[in-house]
């Protein structure tokens, strides 16, 4: 079995995330993709993310009817800064026979060499990156043994940062966030 893993803040989840997971699965023949909201992200430790249970709920709503996409609360229950190496070690132990693929957007590629324990990470998982508008990769990672698959995908110009801004200003987001997630955001008055 080929298992994709995708971490992030998902604050909020948007169709760029869902598209990236689907495109990676289609092009690399993944059997399932597990999405993992971070407790805190290494890139912005201590940053005020929306409560983990809300971000988890949004992911669950958006993936409920999706045969390929799953959600895990592993990083949230671990707490603290969610280093990918800890998550991948866990899934490697849990699925010793399966191939693991860590899915990222192009904005993450140039920093990969500096991820915690990248040498070990490169042994435990392959990486897939999705093109993202405005992010051109000048220097591919130099970590020995690292496998990085490029996935062209749908290349959507969407970010959670922009959507938080739109929501705060009451601008429409229905093109970018699934309807059931928009309802949830309204119910809990998130991003006001
Ligand atoms: P923020 O603006 O808060 O950083 P984001 O939109 O970048 O939010 P994250 O939760 O940071 O979303 O991203 C989780 C993962 O999804 C990262 O690997 C990121 O590169 C990837 N990703 C996010 N948006 C897209 C997109 N539009 N296309 C491809 N990959 C994406
Ligand atoms: Mg981001």
């Amino acid at each position: 079995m080929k298992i994709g893993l995708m971490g992030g803040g998902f604050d909020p989840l948007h169709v760029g995330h869902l598209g990236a997971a689907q495109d990676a699965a289609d092009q690399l023949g993944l059997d399932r993709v597990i999405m993992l909201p971070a407790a805190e992200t290494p890139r912005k430790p201590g940053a005020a993310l929306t409560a983990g249970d809300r971000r988890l709920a949004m992911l669950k709503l958006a993936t409920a009817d999706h045969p390929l996409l799953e959600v895990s609360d592993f990083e949230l229950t671990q707490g603290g800064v969610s280093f990918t190496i800890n998550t991948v070690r866990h899934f490697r132990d849990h699925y010793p026979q399966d191939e693991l693929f860590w899915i990222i957007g192009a904005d993450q590629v140039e920093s990969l060499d500096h991820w915690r324990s990248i040498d070990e990470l490169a042994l435990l998982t392959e990486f897939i990156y999705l093109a993202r508008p405005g992010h051109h990769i000048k220097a591919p990672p130099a970590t020995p043994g690292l496998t990085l698959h490029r996935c062209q995908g749908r290349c959507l110009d969407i970010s959670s940062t922009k959507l938080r801004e739109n929501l705060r200003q009451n601008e429409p987001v229905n093109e970018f966030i699934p309807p059931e997630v928009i309802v949830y955001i309204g119910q809990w008055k998130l991003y006001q």
Side-chain angles (χ1 to χ4, degrees):
M1 178 110 81
K2 289 182 166 188
I3 303 175
L5 301 166
M6 185 172 178
F10 301 107
D11 194 15
L13 162 95
H14 53 67
V15 297
H17 299 128
L18 299 171
Q22 182 70 59
D23 290 337
D26 290 346
Q27 288 187 32
L28 279 294
L30 308 182
D31 299 287
R32 41 199 290 225
V33 176
I34 304 173
M35 306 179 84
L36 298 123
E40 287 178 47
T41 65
R43 283 168 292 130
K44 308 172 197 166
L49 288 171
T50 301
D53 52 351
R54 299 273 174 264
R55 291 180 290 119
L56 185 71
M58 288 189 275
L59 274 165
K60 284 189 173 163
L61 284 169
T63 56
D65 296 327
H66 205 297
L68 190 90
L69 302 183
E70 299 166 43
V71 185
S72 163
D73 65 358
F74 175 76
E75 293 191 344
L76 291 174
T77 54
Q78 292 293 109
V81 177
S82 305
F83 289 104
T84 301
I85 184 64
N86 298 334
T87 307
V88 169
R89 280 183 191 142
H90 167 81
F91 281 91
R92 180 39 70 226
D93 287 348
H94 211 74
Y95 298 110
Q97 308 296 336
D98 297 307
E99 285 176 73
L100 299 182
F101 296 84
W102 191 269
I103 301 167
I104 54 176
D107 55 300
Q108 302 290 309
V109 170
E110 288 196 359
S111 69
L112 263 184
D113 284 334
H114 306 290
W115 284 24
R116 179 172 284 196
S117 306
I118 185 62
D119 293 334
E120 182 189 346
L121 202 46
L123 298 174
L124 298 181
T125 184
E126 297 184 14
F127 287 83
I128 301 170
Y129 83 89
L130 276 293
R132 212 177 162 181
H135 297 281
H136 303 286
I137 290 139
K138 287 167 229 115
T143 299
L146 187 138
T147 304
L148 179 61
H149 302 273
R150 181 172 192 272
C151 180
Q152 185 50 47
R154 53 201 89 183
C155 205
L156 298 174
D157 189 10
I158 311 172
S159 74
S160 296
T161 302
K162 182 72 174 60
L163 290 171
R164 289 193 296 275
E165 227 173 86
N166 292 351
L167 285 160
R168 222 168 273 128
Q169 297 178 355
N170 268 320
E171 287 164 8
V173 292
N174 28 337
E175 255 182 89
F176 311 116
I177 302 181
E180 56 278 21
V181 176
I182 296 181
V183 169
Y184 184 88
I185 289 172
Q187 274 169 351
W188 289 96
K189 300 187 168 40
L190 307 178
Y191 311 113
Q192 290 199 337

